């Protein structure tokens, strides 16, 4: 079985994913790092030189590469399309949901290396979230709702394990 973690930028997909992989004895892949390694350039450079459409194509190729792997926890980028993983019995898609207001405040306060966040206002980030959230919700097999708590990544991982089993 593979577990694909989705959600908006900054919700903790990579942090929780690494802990989850360790707990389950699975491999871990962050799709953004996977893309950077395969493209030979950082994501901001891909956006700058090739455009967002090309980056989304890299994401699609990544999904195809990972679709038939096994025993992986996959931390998907905030705009990653999970359709290739949907309705696959050996893949669980988890939407990590957090208080979006606090995430957006954090993203708008500093440079993150995320082309869709850096230099954007809180309003622009909220609009991006509003466009993406329906896909997170509809694509998920499991929703790990961390919106109303200040939970540690370790406790979030434990909660997620209980939801998966």
């Amino acid at each position: 079985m593979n577990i694909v973690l989705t959600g908006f930028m900054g919700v903790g997909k990579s942090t929780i994913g690494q802990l989850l992989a360790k707990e389950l004895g699975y491999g871990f892949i962050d799709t953004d790092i996977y893309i950077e390694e395969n493209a030979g350039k950082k994501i901001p450079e891909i956006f700058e030189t090739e455009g967002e459409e090309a980056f989304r194509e890299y994401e699609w190729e990544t999904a195809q590469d990972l679709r038939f792997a096994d025993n992986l926890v996959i931390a998907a980028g905030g705009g990653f399309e999970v359709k290739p993983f949907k309705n696959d019995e050996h893949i669980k898609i988890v939407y990590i949901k957090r208080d979006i207001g606090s995430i957006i405040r954090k993203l708008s306060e500093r440079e993150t290396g995320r082309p869709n966040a850096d230099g954007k206002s809180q309003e622009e980030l909220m609009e991006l979230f509003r466009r993406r959230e329906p896909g997170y919700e509809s694509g998920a097999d499991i929703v790990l709702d961390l919106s109303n708590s200040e939970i540690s990544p370790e406790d979030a991982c434990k909660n997620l394990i209980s939801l998966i089993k």
Side-chain angles (χ1 to χ4, degrees), residues 73-100:
V73 173
I74 302 166
F80 194 88
E81 181 60 60
V82 296
K83 283 181 186 171
F85 297 123
K86 194 68 183 143
N87 300 320
D88 189 320
E89 60 206 35
H90 88 284
I91 297 174
K92 291 285 183 208
I93 300 171
V94 177
Y95 168 31
I96 300 178
K97 185 175 186 172
R98 289 210 184 252
D99 172 53
I100 199 59

Side-chain angles (χ1 to χ4, degrees), residues 19-30:
L19 293 167
L20 182 64
K22 184 176 179 183
E23 285 293 316
L24 297 176
Y26 282 19
F28 174 77
I29 291 181
D30 180 307

Side-chain angles (χ1 to χ4, degrees), residues 8 11-12 17 20 41 46 49 57-58 60 70 74 76 79 82 92 97 100 109 118 124-125 128 130 138 143 158 165:
F8 201 63
V11 298
L20 182 64
K41 43 180 122 166
I46 295 170
T49 61
E57 184 61 33
Y58 282 117
W60 178 257
D70 203 18
I74 302 166
V82 296
K92 291 285 183 208
K97 185 175 186 172
I100 199 59
E109 290 171 356
D118 291 344
E124 289 170 310
L125 291 169
L128 181 60
R130 282 190 200 109
S138 68
V143 176
K158 288 176 188 170
K165 293 186 176 186

Side-chain angles (χ1 to χ4, degrees), residues 92-147:
K92 291 285 183 208
I93 300 171
V94 177
Y95 168 31
I96 300 178
K97 185 175 186 172
R98 289 210 184 252
D99 172 53
I100 199 59
S102 64
I103 296 298
I104 287 175
R105 280 189 297 282
K106 288 178 193 173
L107 289 172
S108 65
E109 290 171 356
R110 61 184 169 81
E111 292 292 310
T112 64
R114 295 176 170 107
N116 280 329
D118 291 344
K120 303 288 194 259
S121 69
Q122 289 184 13
E123 293 77 20
E124 289 170 310
L125 291 169
M126 185 58 81
E127 178 56 32
L128 181 60
F129 172 74
R130 282 190 200 109
R131 285 196 319 265
R132 289 182 175 176
E133 186 182 36
Y136 301 146
E137 292 277 355
S138 68
D141 299 309
I142 298 168
V143 176
L144 178 63
D145 191 345
L146 306 175
S147 297

Side-chain angles (χ1 to χ4, degrees), residues 31 34 56-69 74 80-85 91:
T31 61
Y34 185 91
R56 299 299 169 205
E57 184 61 33
Y58 282 117
E59 285 186 322
W60 178 257
E61 291 167 6
T62 298
Q64 300 310 311
D65 289 351
L66 301 177
R67 188 169 171 208
F68 298 108
I74 302 166
F80 194 88
E81 181 60 60
V82 296
K83 283 181 186 171
F85 297 123
I91 297 174

